[in-house]
Amino acid sequence: MTAVRKVQGSPVTYAQGETTLTISNAVQGRTLKDTIDIGETEQVVEIADWLIKVTDLVSLTPASGDIITRAIDGTTYTWTVEARDLGETPWDWSDTSRTTYRIRSRKDGDSAYEVSEPTGFDLQGVELRAS
């Protein structure tokens, strides 16, 4: 994990309540698109796992509602920590030594759904085609 953090780690801010921590090498892991029900409509959101060392969170334990922010090419993106499915926790251990959290989150805001090369169908059933 040390090599992965060194190569793929990036600085993020982790906020829980009034406590805000700067983490120098969080790894954004598996990133997927998911459809969530927001009442009478559905919204496609980006969900991501974050690999963060236990020692980087000092005495915090990840909890639903915590906020992770990351700047990419001058744009700041925000993820909210949450369990994805009923019965699932917002975090798990990433390793058997319990030195790294795997934190589940969803990207918030207008940028939550980004398509670089559209394929498949949108929510209305219209085929998406790359130009």
Side-chain angles (χ1 to χ4, degrees), residues 35-48:
T35 303
I36 60 171
D37 184 357
I38 55 172
E40 294 181 16
T41 61
E42 293 179 328
Q43 180 179 356
V44 178
V45 297
E46 184 175 289
I47 54 178

Side-chain angles (χ1 to χ4, degrees), residues 11 23 31 48 80 116:
I23 298 168
T31 303
T80 300
S116 55

Side-chain angles (χ1 to χ4, degrees), residues 14-82:
Y14 192 97
Q16 184 178 81
E18 298 296 316
T19 304
T20 301
L21 303 170
T22 301
I23 298 168
S24 61
N25 57 1
V27 176
Q28 184 175 345
R30 181 180 63 165
T31 303
L32 305 167
K33 306 298 185 209
D34 197 12
T35 303
I36 60 171
D37 184 357
I38 55 172
E40 294 181 16
T41 61
E42 293 179 328
Q43 180 179 356
V44 178
V45 297
E46 184 175 289
I47 54 178
D49 287 349
W50 291 90
L51 302 178
I52 297 177
K53 290 191 318 188
V54 171
T55 55
D56 285 346
L57 289 185
V58 190
S59 61
L60 297 179
T61 300
S64 292
D66 293 356
I67 302 294
I68 299 170
T69 55
R70 177 182 177 198
I72 303 171
D73 294 330
T75 302
T76 300
Y77 297 96
T78 303
W79 286 266
T80 300
V81 174
E82 69 177 17

